[in-house]
Amino acid sequence: MSENPPSEALENLLHENRKFPPSPEFAAHAVAQPELYQEAQQDRLAFWAKQSRELLSWSKDFEQTLDWSDAPFAKWFVGGEINAAYNALDRHVEAGIGDRVAIYWEGEPGDSRQISYAQLTEEVKKAANAFEALGVAKGDRVAIYLPMIPEAVISMLACARIGAIHSVVFGGFSADALRNRIDDAEAKLVVTADGTYRRGAPSSLKPAVDEALVAPGHTVNHVVVVKRNGEPVAWTEGRDLWWSETVETADPEHTAVPHDSEHPLFILYTSGTTGKPKGILHSTGGYLTQTAYSHKNVFDLRPETDVYWCAADIGWVTGHSYIAYSPLVNGASMVMYEGTPDTPHQGRWWEIVQKYKVSILYAAPTAIRTFMKWGREIPDQYDLSSLKLLGSVGEPINPEAWMWYREVIGGGRTPIVDTWWQTETGGMMISPLPGVTATKPGSAQVPLPGIEVDVVDDLGVSVENGQGGYLVVKSPWPSMLRGIWGDPERYKNTYWSRFDGMYFAGDGAKKDEDGDIWLLGRVDDVMNVSGHRLSTTEIESALVSHESVAEAAVVGAADETTGQAVVAFVILRGSAVDDPEIEQTLRNHVGKEIGPIAKPKRILVVPELPKTRSGKIMRRLLKDIAEGREAGDATTLADAGIMQLISESLKK
Ligand code: 6R9
């Protein structure tokens, strides 16, 4: 399995012993009370059935909470029928809260839109009618390649409404990456935009769709294009349609038909340990239950008064679960922001918090570390007193960033909830409950009520407190992935074969003396850069697909701001060795193959790579070099002199 033990730097975490119990006022009025743990413990399945019935409106009640007879393929809330869009929209309008703001949208250039639940419902109904008119039927796949504009949420919910399966592709992915995902899911329709704004300038999206669809052999019949930045776009007659002429003109009446609880809701591609991204498949009833449950309890949600802001992109799972679905299912008002945190100035986020009186902020540690670097003078200029709770997600949060978040952003009052979960888990799994748990900077601490996780050793045996090992989930959970699109074997092998009867998450973890869980990063070949999952193998494949590269090894090196940074070691071919531009050429090549986020921060040209006798690249040694350390134990190398050779070549 892994050659990369959890970074030693993270070991320091375990000397962290600060604790922040909830304030008595917060605890007394908290949405989640300690009884939630007891209730879940008494009868886990009854607990989930109750949550599901309370949080969601089922068109037909379910008969069985969990069917695990075909493990590891789970069925939750069996026999139930439900419509996700109805739960996120129509029922709130029916309940008389149609005037409540669903989305406060803030464009990067400063334009804004406020969309009420009634308006959002109407937009989604129109989009549902328009997509159906384009031939999209229940079970069909729709690729959504959009920036952070309300149409992204509208498109996702329109798919859910008609039972089409959306596959959102992050707008930062390249044409090639988009095409691979379109092909794998055999998408019929692509929804995109002319572009968006990034760092104060228009940035385009539609050209990538055009490029992705140049080569024949794809399944796409239509491309619906939202006009966002007004940049000129190429047009393929018969295939391309403007959103304004297709969706906006569609019939605003549409009845949501119920779908089976297990009907697929979406596919979301994520990086695994091999070159090919996995299409993680989620279904409806269980996914909605756990995301709504966690959103309510972990964020101490009061939908009547809170203003919630999840700063993730819709292209990642956090944007799915905690922007597109759970806040709307829970009837909350949320902020959605299109752009970058430093446009037009480094106080943009705090200006947004002040403007909308944001009370709950959910962000990634990488953003927090960036703000720390910019200095507290910037947030200090804004009124952040509306904030009552701060969340963290995507990567381990180092105690210093946690403390800064609490002190500087949260004014020393707000609980911090560090939430561990994955694309595969669909919803939060490990997190403090803000009115119950005494929080510890740097630790996600405890599984949510109803969730059973553990840390086990190589043999799958639960470790003692104070020990480290692998994070596993011990029993099925409602929002668990239902498989990998088109590849059931890979699903079993990746997650369920490492330890008998347990889900293997791919993360290292440690239990402290209280039994609280500290996440220590990935134990496989997956990197985490700014909270984005990237596969070393995928970037290596991209590099070796360039004619100048003979061999490549990629490692995630510790980085102060982004958590990890991509560092590539390459062996060049022929005349490329003398090319002074080669590093830039290769960075651009990776950008084209995968997307700008995957571009290596550094590319080091080396004469050889360190390999074991069985030919496995010892990335651990390369990581030592990339992090500026003396290379560690190299005794299992096939050629003991290699590390010396590499170090010398890098000194030149
Ligand atoms: C939600 C999301 C999943 C991987 C996961 C882990 C890391 C996420 C974390 C965390 C420590 C947290 N991760 N949350 N590590 N503490 N609170 O990020 O999904 O993109 O699939 O990434 O991210 O390594 O395995 P995804």
Side-chain angles (χ1 to χ4, degrees):
M1 167 148 324
S2 163
E3 294 219 17
N4 306 327
S7 142
E8 278 160 34
L10 285 165
E11 288 287 318
N12 297 335
L13 284 178
L14 301 162
H15 304 299
E16 173 63 52
N17 50 22
R18 285 171 283 200
K19 253 193 195 185
F20 297 87
S23 72
E25 307 84 70
F26 196 107
H29 302 289
V31 169
Q33 294 293 327
E35 292 73 44
L36 211 57
Y37 290 106
Q38 286 135 31
E39 227 186 286
Q41 224 151 31
Q42 269 159 22
D43 187 340
R44 203 176 77 92
L45 292 182
F47 171 80
W48 280 118
K50 180 172 165 228
Q51 290 298 330
S52 189
R53 290 188 177 109
E54 273 178 17
L55 292 158
L56 305 176
S57 304
W58 288 86
S59 307
K60 178 171 169 257
D61 193 18
F62 49 88
E63 288 138 25
Q64 189 187 357
T65 303
L66 169 69
D67 177 358
W68 191 233
S69 58
D70 185 26
F73 296 92
K75 289 198 181 87
W76 279 87
F77 310 118
V78 186
E81 289 183 358
I82 189 161
N83 187 291
Y86 174 82
N87 272 268
L89 303 164
D90 311 49
R91 66 167 178 158
H92 302 313
V93 179
E94 288 167 15
I97 59 161
D99 288 342
R100 184 180 294 169
V101 174
I103 302 178
Y104 292 103
W105 178 78
E106 179 85 3
E108 196 191 77
D111 50 336
S112 60
R113 284 164 72 181
Q114 270 190 31
I115 307 175
S116 69
Y117 271 93
Q119 288 165 331
L120 192 64
T121 305
E122 187 172 311
E123 293 304 314
V124 169
K125 286 177 172 177
K126 285 188 199 170
N129 280 321
F131 293 176
E132 280 181 333
L134 292 174
V136 179
K138 183 165 175 168
D140 286 344
R141 274 78 62 203
V142 174
I144 297 177
Y145 187 61
L146 282 171
M148 284 296 286
I149 54 177
E151 286 78 2
V153 174
I154 295 169
S155 300
M156 292 163 83
L157 291 174
C159 288
R161 191 171 186 93
I162 63 180
I165 306 167
H166 59 71
S167 163
V168 178
V169 180
F170 173 56
F173 277 128
S174 68
D176 287 0
L178 173 63
R179 175 62 185 262
N180 291 337
R181 286 158 175 77
I182 288 173
D183 286 350
D184 188 70
E186 300 177 282
K188 262 192 172 174
L189 173 70
V190 179
V191 186
T192 189
D194 49 1
T196 175
Y197 294 90
R198 298 306 289 170
R199 305 209 147 78
S203 134
S204 61
L205 269 180
K206 171 77 164 45
V209 178
D210 293 331
E211 196 187 324
L213 300 180
V214 167
H218 60 75
T219 44
V220 174
N221 301 326
H222 290 289
V223 177
V224 172
V225 188
V226 180
K227 195 174 273 181
R228 165 63 188 136
N229 65 11
E231 293 289 297
V233 289
W235 207 252
T236 302
E237 281 307 327
R239 186 198 70 186
D240 297 352
L241 301 155
W242 285 112
W243 176 280
S244 56
E245 291 165 11
T246 330
V247 176
E248 278 168 29
T249 53
D251 185 352
E253 268 321 310
H254 183 279
T255 307
V257 292
H259 304 294
D260 188 88
S261 173
E262 279 301 330
H263 183 66
L265 187 61
F266 66 85
I267 304 168
L268 181 60
Y269 288 84
T270 189
S271 297
T273 51
T274 69
K276 191 171 173 270
K278 303 174 280 200
I280 302 300
L281 180 67
H282 282 284
S283 67
T284 311
Y287 175 81
L288 295 178
T289 300
Q290 192 171 332
T291 52
Y293 156 80
S294 51
H295 183 259
K296 173 184 157 189
N297 290 295
V298 172
F299 292 146
D300 194 57
L301 183 77
R302 274 157 242 272
E304 308 77 27
T305 47
D306 276 323
V307 177
Y308 162 79
W309 180 18
C310 168
D313 191 280
I314 208 88
W316 308 109
V317 74
T318 307
H320 282 59
S321 303
Y322 297 102
I323 296 178
Y325 288 102
S326 64
L328 297 173
V329 166
N330 285 337
S333 298
M334 74 175 136
V335 169
M336 185 174 178
Y337 172 54
E338 177 184 35
T340 42
D342 51 355
T343 308
H345 55 77
Q346 294 178 334
R348 186 66 190 272
W349 272 34
W350 317 119
E351 192 177 73
I352 293 173
V353 168
Q354 176 178 285
K355 175 172 173 186
Y356 295 105
K357 299 195 168 45
V358 171
S359 55
I360 304 166
L361 176 65
Y362 194 29
T366 186
I368 298 155
R369 289 191 297 263
T370 302
F371 299 134
M372 278 174 83
K373 209 166 59 184
W374 292 345
R376 71 170 293 161
E377 314 78 71
I378 295 168
D380 280 351
Q381 291 162 28
Y382 298 89
D383 178 6
L384 306 181
S385 61
S386 56
L387 290 167
K388 68 160 200 197
L389 181 136
L390 302 171
S392 174
V393 60
E395 50 182 319
I397 180 165
N398 45 309
E400 288 335 299
W402 194 104
M403 288 302 300
W404 192 91
Y405 200 22
R406 184 179 155 100
E407 292 302 321
V408 177
I409 306 304
R413 337 169 287 282
T414 55
I416 307 261
V417 286
D418 175 8
T419 62
W420 179 92
W421 58 291
Q422 308 177 296
T423 305
E424 292 87 341
T425 69
M428 296 172 194
M429 302 291 280
I430 308 178
S431 168
L433 285 180
V436 182
T437 318
T439 54
K440 298 178 179 176
S443 170
Q445 295 182 286
V446 277
L448 288 180
I451 300 295
E452 289 176 342
V453 305
D454 201 357
V455 180
V456 299
D457 65 14
D458 265 319
L459 300 172
V461 178
S462 181
V463 303
E464 305 269 321
N465 287 355
Q467 302 294 309
Y470 303 100
L471 187 75
V472 296
V473 188
K474 287 198 151 164
S475 44
W477 63 102
S479 63
M480 66 191 280
L481 74 166
R482 299 304 196 258
I484 294 175
W485 183 255
D487 202 346
E489 278 310 304
R490 191 173 174 199
Y491 166 65
K492 285 196 217 167
N493 292 338
T494 310
Y495 305 107
W496 299 95
S497 64
R498 178 72 173 81
F499 301 111
D500 199 24
M502 293 182 240
Y503 169 87
F504 172 58
D507 278 41
K510 194 150 180 167
K511 289 184 200 165
D512 68 14
E513 296 304 335
D514 302 324
D516 282 331
I517 296 171
W518 296 70
L519 280 310
L520 301 175
R522 300 288 306 194
V523 293
D524 54 13
D525 296 331
V526 173
M527 292 171 292
N528 194 325
V529 179
S530 297
H532 299 156
R533 258 168 86 165
L534 296 170
S535 139
T536 53
T537 329
E538 203 179 344
I539 300 176
E540 285 164 6
S541 314
L543 284 165
V544 295
S545 75
H546 192 277
E547 56 188 10
S548 303
V549 177
E551 261 194 279
V554 166
V555 298
D559 184 281
E560 260 191 20
T561 308
T562 57
Q564 287 189 307
V566 180
V567 178
F569 294 79
V570 295
I571 305 178
L572 296 175
R573 269 186 223 286
S575 60
V577 182
D578 304 315
D579 179 357
E581 307 281 302
I582 190 67
E583 190 176 328
Q584 197 48 42
T585 307
L586 294 179
R587 292 184 76 242
N588 291 341
H589 179 70
V590 173
K592 186 185 164 302
E593 292 285 310
I594 306 172
I597 43 163
K599 283 187 184 178
K601 186 170 180 189
R602 284 155 66 205
I603 295 187
L604 305 173
V605 177
V606 291
E608 287 291 344
L609 291 171
K611 290 185 186 158
T612 60
R613 276 170 212 106
S614 60
K616 212 170 179 263
I617 296 172
M618 290 188 72
R619 292 195 180 76
R620 170 170 63 78
L621 298 175
L622 294 173
K623 198 168 159 148
D624 288 338
I625 295 183
E627 293 179 348
R629 276 190 304 275
E630 197 64 32
D633 181 8
T635 45
T636 56
L637 279 180
D639 177 349
I642 276 294
M643 290 316 291
Q644 181 74 18
L645 190 68
I646 293 175
S647 307
E648 275 164 20
S649 79
L650 292 175
K651 279 189 204 124
K652 284 184 202 149

